[in-house]
Amino acid sequence: MAVELITGLGDGPHVDAGDVGGFQAGIVGTEDYVLSIGKKMESSVITNNKVRINDGEAVMQGRHWRIKPGTYEDVTIDNGAQGMNRKDAIVARYTKESSSGIEKVELAVLKGASTSGTAIAPTQEKGNILEGTMKHEMLLYIVSLKGLN
């Protein structure tokens, strides 16, 4: 049957991640969004190799994810090289395990190519979660490295 009542009482458990994700995408939008709550995932440089992402709420193509209030996640940036420039991307990486259907989001760093000229940030992988993709990356920040810093 193509018609399904999601928020009504059914004859057993019937609401799944696709139901909630589709609903949220319809309200928030089908792209990636950091919501205006908490510290909005603001970043701060802790050391030359560590960037801290503070708490906030986000919706990635209908999938709600968060860094819990009052907490943070640290990501590690690889060292730069003397006389070289590089841009790295900090992303939220959505993955779905094909056999179990288990979904998760984690922060990751995409390392750019070193160059003596103008650095270009790496491109994140774009998938369509609403259509069942196994991987999608939401861009959060671009980090510019000049030399070792």
Side-chain angles (χ1 to χ4, degrees), residues 34 37-43 51-59 64-75 90-92 105-107 140-141:
V34 173
I37 190 166
K39 292 187 178 177
K40 302 175 206 148
M41 300 194 191
E42 71 182 20
S43 67
V51 176
R52 179 162 291 161
I53 310 299
N54 286 292
D55 65 78
E57 307 281 336
V59 176
H64 174 220
W65 67 278
R66 72 193 312 210
I67 298 175
K68 292 181 182 179
T71 67
Y72 57 83
E73 288 284 328
D74 289 339
V75 294
I90 299 174
V91 300
V105 172
E106 57 192 352
L107 298 184
L140 296 174
Y141 292 101

Side-chain angles (χ1 to χ4, degrees), residues 4-6 14-25 63:
E4 181 182 7
L5 176 62
I6 303 302
H14 65 282
V15 179
D16 63 26
D19 297 327
V20 177
F23 180 75
Q24 291 176 157
R63 294 306 197 265

